[in-house]
Amino acid sequence: MAIRIWHQSFTVLSDLEAYDAALQEHFRRVSRPDTVIDMHGMREGTYRTNYPGDDIKHVGFQFLHSIQFMQGALLAERQGYDAYALSTLPEPGLREIRALIDIPVVGYGECAARAAGRNGRKFGALVFIPELAELYSDNIHRHGLGGQLVGARDVGFRFTDVLAAFDRPGPLIDQFRDAARRLIAAGAQAIVPGEAPLNVLLAMNGVTEVDGAEIIDSLGAWVRTAEAEVELHRTGRAEVGSGYFGAIPDPVRRDEILAFYGLKPI
């Protein structure tokens, strides 16, 4: 049976045609033949420019923007999607969304970290939004993998450099390898290539390792995780959320509260 996944980006995809096309091609490569990944970005006009980092680097702004992620998740459930994927390193609202809808919800950062840390490996992350290093470390500790994290560091280039590298990737890939080697010297056995634009650029250019350390395809990791969780959900073998952070509330009351705050799915 086919699997339908709602992909949610932190970018306005219509502002980034090359990135949008690269994502679609990569998803075709890493997903099952019968998996359908419908791509969704932030609403047009969310940011002042095509660069979300000026907002994302602030925790308060990220919290406010996470409302779009919550609305998308609710809409995904109502439209019959099999899974919802926060396809962005910060994973805004991940814990809260999991406790609002009754379909599998996966996070890009968590899936990548679990792939990087399998079999007890030490790992690190490289980000092009420097402020996300602190957020990433906090998220990894929340996911229970803090003891395996060597560190999260600034990769040394920025979002605009990554976009430009889709046409000429060589120099930027060399910079990435240099930064990865510094993490490897600190003990990392696997590297998470931070934000999704960098991930897809490396993947489309076949960068899978640096000096024997695996470069994690974070996008591929969340796709595989989502597919597996959908299968578990369909067979009734999925773990049922419980307690404060996991129990799904009464959907009628949920919708009443959403309506009160003007947050119905859009």
Side-chain angles (χ1 to χ4, degrees):
M1 184 186 300
I3 293 174
R4 293 178 65 221
I5 302 173
W6 178 301
H7 154 278
Q8 183 66 51
S9 172
F10 223 152
T11 63
V12 179
L13 291 171
S14 58
D15 289 344
L16 303 166
E17 292 184 5
Y19 173 53
D20 187 12
L23 273 177
Q24 293 185 52
E25 177 58 31
H26 189 58
F27 287 146
R28 283 191 288 269
R29 287 197 300 267
V30 299
S31 64
R32 300 178 188 178
D34 62 346
T35 293
V36 176
I37 299 175
D38 289 336
M39 294 173 54
H40 299 82
M42 304 295 275
R43 295 198 295 273
E44 291 186 8
T46 295
Y47 310 113
R48 288 177 170 174
T49 69
N50 70 351
Y51 176 55
D54 290 335
D55 282 0
I56 291 174
K57 69 183 181 181
H58 296 291
V59 64
F61 286 171
Q62 189 171 141
F63 174 81
L64 291 171
H65 286 316
S66 72
I67 292 170
Q68 289 193 46
F69 282 76
M70 182 176 66
Q71 290 175 309
L74 293 162
L75 196 57
E77 183 183 48
R78 292 181 185 185
Q79 291 185 357
Y81 280 84
D82 298 301
Y84 180 79
L86 290 85
S87 189
T88 180
L89 188 72
E91 302 175 325
L94 174 62
R95 183 166 60 179
E96 292 75 16
I97 290 169
R98 281 177 170 159
L100 278 178
I101 63 174
D102 192 24
I103 59 175
V105 177
V106 299
Y108 170 104
E110 180 181 9
C111 294
R114 296 200 183 285
R118 67 175 179 269
N119 299 322
R121 288 190 304 190
K122 298 284 188 179
F123 65 95
L126 293 169
V127 298
F128 58 68
I129 302 174
E131 292 83 359
L132 289 191
E134 182 180 356
L135 171 61
Y136 180 79
S137 296
D138 186 69
N139 284 349
I140 295 307
H141 280 82
R142 181 184 294 181
H143 294 320
L145 297 170
Q148 294 171 245
L149 181 66
V150 169
R153 301 181 182 179
D154 180 2
V155 72
F157 47 76
R158 299 292 169 256
F159 178 72
T160 52
D161 301 315
V162 176
L163 294 187
F166 278 92
D167 292 325
R168 185 170 174 265
L172 185 137
I173 290 174
D174 288 341
Q175 285 182 262
F176 173 82
R177 288 191 173 111
D178 288 342
R181 289 186 176 107
R182 290 190 285 274
L183 270 180
I184 293 167
Q189 298 164 292
I191 307 290
V192 175
E195 303 88 338
L198 177 57
N199 181 139
V200 74
L201 176 73
L202 295 172
M204 68 189 292
N205 285 282
V207 181
T208 59
E209 63 86 28
V210 172
D211 297 348
E214 182 181 1
I215 305 303
I216 302 300
D217 176 6
S218 309
L219 294 162
W222 82 242
V223 170
R224 289 185 290 273
T225 301
E227 290 171 335
E229 291 195 9
V230 168
E231 295 294 348
L232 288 173
H233 193 261
R234 285 176 173 174
T235 58
R237 292 180 290 136
E239 183 177 345
V240 178
S242 62
Y244 179 76
F245 291 109
I248 304 293
D250 170 28
V252 174
R253 180 55 184 154
R254 178 194 67 187
D255 291 349
E256 288 175 350
I257 294 172
L258 290 168
F260 180 82
Y261 286 109
L263 295 175
K264 288 186 177 181
I266 53 176

